[in-house]
Amino acid sequence: MGNLERFKIDLKGLKSEETSFDFGLDDDYFQAIGATEVKGGSLSTTLVVRKTAGVFELTFHTEGMATVTCDVCLDDMSQEVATDNKVVARFGDEFMENGDDVIVPAEEGIIDVSWLIYEFIVLAIPTKHVHEEGECNPAMLEKLEQLSSTQATDDDAEAPIDPRWSELEKLKSTIK
């Protein structure tokens, strides 16, 4: 399990009005975060924190390649990621997230951005993960073709119909 301490930003300890942080995100990061959608990857995130009058504007820029599972063949595939996101942090009594606003406990003054970065990556990835044409695992595609419900077999044509369906068909025709 990797260490996520480097993603904890001490907002109280920031000396200048604008501070930058660079994070390299690799397989260890995704394992440490407990990622379910993204299996790994090689990405970089630049975080710029601007502070003004008790408000902190966090601007994230993330780009690179993430490893996800293909929805068709279930093999790993690379997915390009490029995303820009903003979050506004303020001090308050207890931690709370509300959309793009985050309340950080004033007594601690620390915000952990590790999960925010992961969420931004997941949101930047299309919901359907499919290899480019011809790149899916051919053995899996063949197996899918064999098991496809759209393929009619001789056994399907000769199989007796469940009597409950017959009764429903009768009911359907009487309603018309």
Side-chain angles (χ1 to χ4, degrees):
M1 192 86 133
N3 187 351
L4 298 175
E5 283 298 313
R6 63 190 172 116
F7 294 96
K8 293 183 179 179
I9 308 296
D10 183 2
L11 297 175
K12 284 182 164 180
L14 295 178
K15 302 291 183 217
S16 61
E17 291 182 14
E18 184 171 299
T19 308
S20 292
F21 301 90
D22 291 315
F23 304 107
L25 311 175
D26 56 11
D27 294 345
D28 291 337
Y29 162 78
F30 291 103
Q31 183 180 6
I33 201 80
T36 56
E37 294 286 323
V38 180
K39 297 172 102 178
S42 177
L43 297 103
S44 63
T45 296
T46 300
L47 166 62
V48 176
V49 181
R50 290 182 187 89
K51 69 176 186 175
T52 57
V55 176
F56 299 87
E57 183 180 282
L58 289 76
T59 305
F60 299 84
H61 174 74
T62 303
E63 61 184 37
M65 298 299 282
T67 304
V68 295
T69 303
C70 175
D71 293 337
V72 176
C73 70
L74 303 179
D75 280 356
D76 288 348
M77 62 175 275
S78 292
Q79 178 67 55
E80 188 173 352
V81 173
T83 183
D84 292 303
N85 306 90
K86 285 187 182 183
V87 172
V88 175
R90 295 178 176 80
F91 292 128
D93 294 331
E94 61 184 43
F95 180 81
M96 184 173 35
E97 241 182 280
N98 184 12
D100 292 339
D101 291 331
V102 176
I103 305 297
V104 177
E107 59 190 44
E108 292 176 21
I110 296 175
I111 184 170
D112 184 349
V113 297
S114 60
W115 188 255
L116 289 171
I117 293 170
Y118 175 70
E119 286 178 338
F120 296 147
I121 292 168
V122 170
L123 290 172
I125 295 174
T127 54
K128 187 173 181 182
H129 316 135
V130 181
H131 280 109
E132 293 291 325
E133 185 72 30
E135 291 185 20
C136 275
N137 181 339
M140 182 60 88
L141 292 177
E142 183 178 322
K143 190 68 171 173
L144 283 171
E145 187 68 30
Q146 291 173 1
L147 299 173
S148 176
S149 63
T150 60
Q151 293 266 334
T153 64
D154 293 335
D155 295 339
D156 291 340
E158 295 174 11
I161 297 175
D162 185 332
R164 293 174 288 187
W165 290 114
S166 300
E167 291 300 316
L168 286 172
E169 282 296 326
K170 288 180 191 174
L171 181 61
K172 184 177 162 184
S173 63
T174 59
I175 292 175
K176 290 182 182 178

